[in-house]
Amino acid sequence: MGKIKFLQCRECKKEYAPTFKYICEECFGPLDVCYDFPSVNKNTFSNREHTYWRYHELLPIESKSNIVSIGAGMTPLIKAEKLGKALGLNNLYVKNDSVNPTFSFKDRPAGVAVSKAKEFGLSAVGCASTGNLASATAAHAAKGDFPCYIFAPSDIEHAKITQALSYGANFISVDGTYDDANRIAAQIGDSKGIGIVNINMRSYYVEGSKTLAYEVAEQLEWKVPDQLIVPVGSGAMLNAICKGFEELEHVSLINQVSNMHMIAAQPHGCAPIVDAFKKNLSEVTPVEIPDTIAKSLAIGDPGDGQYVLRRLKQYNGFAEESNNKEILDAILLLAKTEGIFTEPAGGVSIAVLKKMVDEGKIDKNDLTVCYVTGNGLKTTEVMMEVLKKPQVMQADVSKILALVK
């Protein structure tokens, strides 16, 4: 018997053996990994590799020989003093996942899912993606020697397509939305036995994202933040972060998890969870045609939407949106204060953080963590539209000198 006890339905609580399975046969609810954790303490993880695999006891890979790692995780938790001063916060931290090997947080869930695909002996992997997961899955597939199939809407950023193709992935560009690509990936994955990391591997895939809780807790010397601002597309990351903190409490590494506040950040034009939260609904109405520059969050029918709503209620949270201008302003604010260049999804987090402060929902002394999930170099097109174009000058020192103040 390994450390995984069973898979459990999130809805009806029916238990299943930890196999290549992701939905409940009784009620079609999602299946979560439940563990029989070994005994750990704060010293267990010290002096280990600086990747998220330092927490392998708490992750769903039974044999370390099956781990497929490209060195992701243990990304910086920056004390954002200049940004904090600009917003009126004394205790603000930015979790900068834009510096992962494929430049987004998706290296975490993709790495766990591809490792589990290796453990299951699958012959190929793939994903449905708005861009970042395509690159993360393709990179891990290359490292793990898997054929890889990417299903993505045709209008995602060119840099993200280029990146995934460079790792050798088979890229299927779908003329439609992310939800169209997701539906096609699900059908092909099931018919061909391909491990689609965020669909039929989802029970294991989401476990990678909970390392965003593990790392923040360890980097804060095992303290629990008062406020966490999380960008939300499908909602899986926010739900996984909550699960991560709860597991740390279960193994007695932290306490008082119930005191933290979760804040879900979505872009205007694709904010179905924010809409449901503000109307006090328990179900999410899908957005048919997302319209936002934050394409990595443009998931109109979020798979974990109702669970995010439950988490917000559980953790006294909020959900808020930001429009395109607020997103671009926030990207520049973060870049000019902390030297971090994020893609629009990270801009959504910073913009919503500012709104929460302006509305008095975050106190200036709260221990606040804002998650920045992707790198701005993936989405330069949207930024060039608002930045001043450099003036081409003759190579003449006297003429250029006049421009230098």
Side-chain angles (χ1 to χ4, degrees):
M1 185 70 175
K3 59 189 167 187
I4 301 178
K5 283 198 292 188
F6 43 72
L7 299 178
Q8 185 177 56
C9 176
R10 206 179 288 175
E11 292 296 331
C12 72
K13 306 306 180 187
K14 183 175 171 64
E15 297 171 6
Y16 296 89
T19 56
F20 182 30
K21 189 180 199 68
Y22 66 107
I23 51 174
C24 177
E25 295 169 357
E26 299 290 326
C27 71
F28 305 107
L31 303 182
D32 289 327
V33 180
C34 295
Y35 298 85
D36 186 9
F37 285 126
S39 178
V40 294
N41 58 51
K42 292 171 185 177
N43 295 323
T44 301
F45 309 111
S46 57
N47 301 318
R48 282 191 174 176
E49 62 177 312
H50 279 252
T51 77
Y52 63 78
W53 290 109
R54 68 198 277 115
Y55 310 109
H56 64 82
E57 291 95 342
L58 311 179
L59 291 168
I61 309 302
E62 297 291 357
S63 171
K64 287 174 72 175
S65 65
N66 291 317
I67 289 175
V68 178
S69 175
I70 61 171
M74 279 314 280
T75 54
L77 182 69
I78 305 292
K79 179 73 184 288
E81 292 181 350
K82 280 188 70 183
L83 178 61
K85 187 175 181 181
L87 298 179
L89 295 174
N90 297 328
N91 216 3
L92 173 64
Y93 290 82
V94 171
K95 180 60 169 167
N96 183 14
D97 245 34
S98 72
V99 297
N100 272 313
T102 74
F103 310 110
S104 89
F105 88 97
K106 292 292 190 180
D107 282 336
R108 300 172 184 274
V112 171
V114 171
S115 297
K116 198 65 187 179
K118 182 179 177 182
E119 195 150 80
F120 282 147
L122 301 184
S123 59
V125 297
C127 69
S129 178
T130 53
N132 285 328
L133 181 58
S135 302
T137 304
H140 283 89
K143 179 76 171 181
D145 201 24
F146 285 99
C148 181
Y149 297 89
I150 306 298
F151 303 85
S154 58
D155 67 344
I156 66 172
E157 299 91 346
H158 289 166
K160 294 177 179 178
I161 298 172
T162 303
Q163 190 181 8
L165 286 170
S166 298
Y167 297 123
N170 301 286
F171 199 103
I172 295 92
S173 188
V174 178
D175 182 14
T177 66
Y178 168 80
D179 295 306
D180 294 323
N182 191 73
R183 173 176 47 81
I184 292 165
Q187 292 171 355
I188 291 175
D190 285 348
S191 65
K192 294 284 191 179
I194 297 170
I196 305 294
V197 299
N198 55 334
I199 302 177
N200 56 21
M201 298 291 296
R202 194 171 183 84
S203 298
Y204 306 98
Y205 163 88
V206 296
E207 294 295 283
S209 295
K210 73 184 183 182
T211 60
L212 282 162
Y214 296 169
E215 288 178 23
V216 163
E218 185 177 4
Q219 289 167 321
L220 290 174
E221 298 181 340
W222 306 105
K223 291 198 287 284
V224 179
D226 299 310
Q227 308 280 354
L228 297 105
I229 298 89
V230 181
V232 171
S234 73
M237 174 181 159
L238 185 146
N239 194 54
I241 288 171
C242 292
K243 185 174 189 275
F245 279 111
E246 288 163 0
E247 288 175 348
L248 291 180
E249 185 174 54
H250 177 74
V251 297
S252 302
L253 286 174
I254 59 174
N255 52 35
Q256 295 181 309
V257 168
S258 60
N259 292 338
M260 69 183 183
H261 297 75
M262 299 299 299
I263 298 168
Q266 289 199 291
H268 179 74
C270 191
I273 294 170
V274 175
D275 292 341
F277 175 82
K278 290 189 173 182
K279 292 172 184 172
N280 201 25
L281 303 174
S282 58
E283 297 288 332
V284 174
T285 302
V287 173
E288 295 270 332
I289 303 174
D291 181 18
T292 171
I293 60 170
K295 293 186 184 298
S296 61
L297 300 181
I299 298 175
D301 189 6
D304 275 26
Q306 63 176 317
Y307 302 111
V308 170
L309 293 172
R310 292 182 197 177
R311 290 297 198 181
L312 297 181
K313 192 167 286 189
Q314 179 184 0
Y315 288 108
N316 304 304
F318 294 97
E320 189 54 84
E321 65 180 29
S322 51
N323 63 35
N324 285 350
K325 183 183 184 305
E326 291 165 338
I327 293 168
L328 293 170
D329 287 347
I331 291 172
L332 292 175
L333 178 63
L334 179 63
K336 290 176 179 179
T337 54
E338 299 299 333
I340 296 171
F341 182 37
T342 184
E343 66 170 19
V348 171
S349 297
I350 301 297
V352 167
L353 167 67
K354 183 178 186 304
K355 282 190 177 182
M356 292 289 102
V357 175
D358 291 346
E359 292 171 15
K361 291 176 176 141
I362 295 178
D363 184 80
K364 66 179 182 179
N365 293 317
D366 282 350
L367 177 52
T368 301
V369 174
C370 192
Y371 286 94
V372 167
T373 48
N375 197 295
L377 288 175
K378 294 185 173 211
T379 57
T380 54
E381 301 103 305
V382 296
M383 293 308 299
M384 287 307 296
E385 292 174 15
V386 296
L387 295 171
K388 185 178 178 182
K389 304 290 189 295
Q391 181 183 353
V392 178
M393 301 286 293
Q394 288 182 337
D396 184 319
V397 170
S398 61
K399 289 181 180 177
I400 296 175
L401 193 61
L403 297 178
V404 180
K405 301 289 190 279

